[in-house]
Amino acid sequence: MNVRILRPIVGGTVRAIASKSEAHRLLICAALAEGETFISCPERSEDIDATAHCLTSLGASIRHERNGFAVTPIDRHTVSNKQYTLDCSESGSTLRFLLPVCGALGLRVSFSMRGRLPDRPLSGLYDEMASHGCRLSEPDISPLICEGKLKPGVYTLPGNISSQFVSGLLFALPLLSGDSVIRVTDNLESRPYADMTLDTLRLFGIKITEDERQVFRVPGGQTFRSPKTVNVSGDWSNAAIWLSAGAIGKNAVICTGLDPDSRQGDRAIVELLARFGADTVCTDGSVTVSPGTICGIEIDAGDTPDLVPVLAAVAAVAEGRTIICNAGRLRIKESDRLRTVAASLSGLGADITETEDGLIIIGKEKLTGGQTESFGDHRIAMTAAIVSSVCDGNVMIHDADAVRKSYPGFWDDFNTVLGGVSEEF
């Protein structure tokens, strides 16, 4: 599907969709818990569905009803030695979380991967699982086969590739009979997402301590206990799209349904937009962003890599120079996001240069508009949409339905809630 934007966002109010990051974690814990769990989660996406479908393939019952997921857990007493087939689609979270969980359960599993997922790194997690009892096929070929059973012990992981490696082991190791330790070398980037995992595990009764920095002690033989009902909070990553539109457009944008105390690292968007010069106001459950005098800043994206596309969009019309660094991990996302952000925004008239681990953007008063590919990446498609607010000409986005990966209703919200008008063909 292609989209031509006929009128840019003119401001308004939109409710944040349910957090994809929280939904992944809650679904996994609910599928491992004793007792049924209802997860309040009105919205679905391709990534959330990938995790739900994989857990169903492992024996859980997951039904989407009454604006949420009703989860009956896996009966771990009946899992067998048969080969399970899990379709991870393009979801890195699904693969990296469930690979060690299946190892802890001692299952023979075939993980099907699509798109760029086979190319995204597993080194570190793969090596530690292989040295602790699992046998795995080549990591860059789909399907990935995992068999054998994880053994308790000391696991050493790099912190500079993905916090998802740590989260996957945090889900898995409490299921083992003995105690384990996870030691993270280097700085654990995207640390807020590991903290989100720890919070979710505590909610399900799992005890993990960190008595030294980046050393997690995981007692074995623990039982996941259902809290019965849990809520998925609003997604700060996708809300950042609308809030950034408020910073560079002509009118304020209000995003409701956001938890100001969320562990989601991307709630940093409010502070970053304020640093750019936008007017930001946070109240209980909502954020309002209005245009201001936008000036370039320097950004370390180590904890917030998913914000880089929209931050680059704001920088494209900020006075002066913006430098984004420590974002090298974006090269292993759904697209090489440093390359595709630079290509997409420069194609619409921005002055943007790609560096080894970031971007340098020289702001302009206006962009020209034109055509851009989404590169099959949901965040590139959404970023191009909000850039239309500062373009003299129309914007056409090819393969615009890439947004289904995280935000299937994006174009509906763009058209009906915030005053943007698009034409699909």
Side-chain angles (χ1 to χ4, degrees), residues 244-263:
S244 297
I248 63 178
K250 295 182 179 180
N251 299 292
V253 171
I254 302 169
C255 199
T256 63
L258 293 170
D259 178 4
D261 298 320
S262 170
R263 287 284 199 176

Side-chain angles (χ1 to χ4, degrees), residues 332-391:
I332 55 175
K333 293 287 190 176
E334 286 83 348
S335 67
D336 176 345
R337 279 195 189 144
L338 294 180
R339 180 182 64 82
T340 55
V341 167
S344 177
L345 292 181
S346 63
L348 299 176
D351 183 346
I352 181 168
T353 302
E354 177 186 348
T355 67
E356 183 178 354
D357 76 336
L359 300 166
I360 300 174
I361 306 109
I362 308 299
K364 297 181 177 181
E365 185 175 351
K366 280 281 187 179
L367 304 186
T368 57
Q371 299 188 35
T372 182
E373 297 287 336
S374 75
F375 301 95
D377 191 323
H378 52 133
R379 300 206 188 279
I380 303 300
M382 291 187 280
T383 297
I386 67 161
V387 165
S388 66
S389 296
V390 292
C391 290

Side-chain angles (χ1 to χ4, degrees), residues 145-342:
I145 308 298
C146 176
E147 56 186 340
K149 185 173 177 61
L150 276 183
K151 300 175 182 177
V154 177
Y155 290 75
T156 302
L157 292 173
N160 60 351
I161 300 177
S162 176
S163 67
Q164 292 173 351
F165 296 171
V166 177
S167 289
L169 286 176
L170 289 172
F171 289 125
L173 297 182
L175 300 171
L176 303 183
S177 58
D179 298 346
S180 298
V181 175
I182 304 171
R183 295 185 181 274
V184 181
T185 61
D186 308 310
N187 185 54
L188 178 53
E189 296 187 1
S190 295
R191 171 64 199 244
Y193 289 91
D195 290 334
M196 185 191 303
T197 301
L198 291 167
D199 285 349
T200 307
L201 288 165
R202 291 188 193 101
L203 182 64
F204 282 80
I206 299 299
K207 297 180 179 179
I208 295 172
T209 59
E210 185 183 5
D211 49 8
E212 301 175 55
R213 183 175 178 271
Q214 299 188 172
V215 178
F216 303 94
R217 301 190 183 278
V218 187
Q222 298 192 63
T223 300
F224 287 73
R225 302 190 184 280
S226 172
K228 305 304 181 184
T229 302
V230 291
N231 296 311
V232 178
S233 63
D235 192 309
W236 280 94
S237 300
N238 283 316
I241 296 288
W242 307 122
L243 299 177
S244 297
I248 63 178
K250 295 182 179 180
N251 299 292
V253 171
I254 302 169
C255 199
T256 63
L258 293 170
D259 178 4
D261 298 320
S262 170
R263 287 284 199 176
Q264 297 173 51
D266 288 348
R267 68 186 175 91
I269 187 63
V270 178
E271 176 188 351
L272 289 164
L273 292 177
R275 286 179 55 204
F276 269 115
D279 183 11
T280 63
V281 177
C282 297
T283 58
D284 186 20
S286 71
V287 179
T288 302
V289 176
S290 306
T293 302
I294 307 297
C295 298
I297 60 175
E298 294 188 7
I299 301 168
D300 183 331
D303 281 341
T304 56
D306 286 343
L307 292 182
V308 167
V310 291
L311 294 173
V314 175
V317 290
E319 181 180 346
R321 183 174 70 169
T322 295
I323 299 174
I324 301 174
C325 66
N326 201 15
R329 287 176 300 142
L330 288 177
R331 297 196 182 280
I332 55 175
K333 293 287 190 176
E334 286 83 348
S335 67
D336 176 345
R337 279 195 189 144
L338 294 180
R339 180 182 64 82
T340 55
V341 167

Side-chain angles (χ1 to χ4, degrees), residues 78-161:
T78 62
V79 292
S80 68
N81 292 326
K82 72 175 185 179
Q83 179 164 315
Y84 294 83
T85 299
L86 306 188
D87 183 359
C88 298
S89 188
E90 298 184 40
S91 174
S93 297
T94 304
L95 174 64
R96 290 164 171 172
F97 292 167
L98 290 183
L99 181 59
V101 167
C102 290
L105 295 174
L107 305 178
R108 177 177 169 81
V109 181
S110 172
F111 291 90
S112 175
M113 303 174 285
R114 302 184 213 168
R116 278 172 52 93
L117 186 53
D119 300 325
R120 297 174 68 176
L122 282 174
S123 59
L125 177 61
Y126 181 99
D127 298 336
E128 287 300 280
M129 289 185 63
S131 66
H132 286 80
C134 286
R135 299 180 299 279
L136 301 107
S137 63
E138 293 297 319
D140 55 355
I141 299 174
S142 181
L144 170 63
I145 308 298
C146 176
E147 56 186 340
K149 185 173 177 61
L150 276 183
K151 300 175 182 177
V154 177
Y155 290 75
T156 302
L157 292 173
N160 60 351
I161 300 177

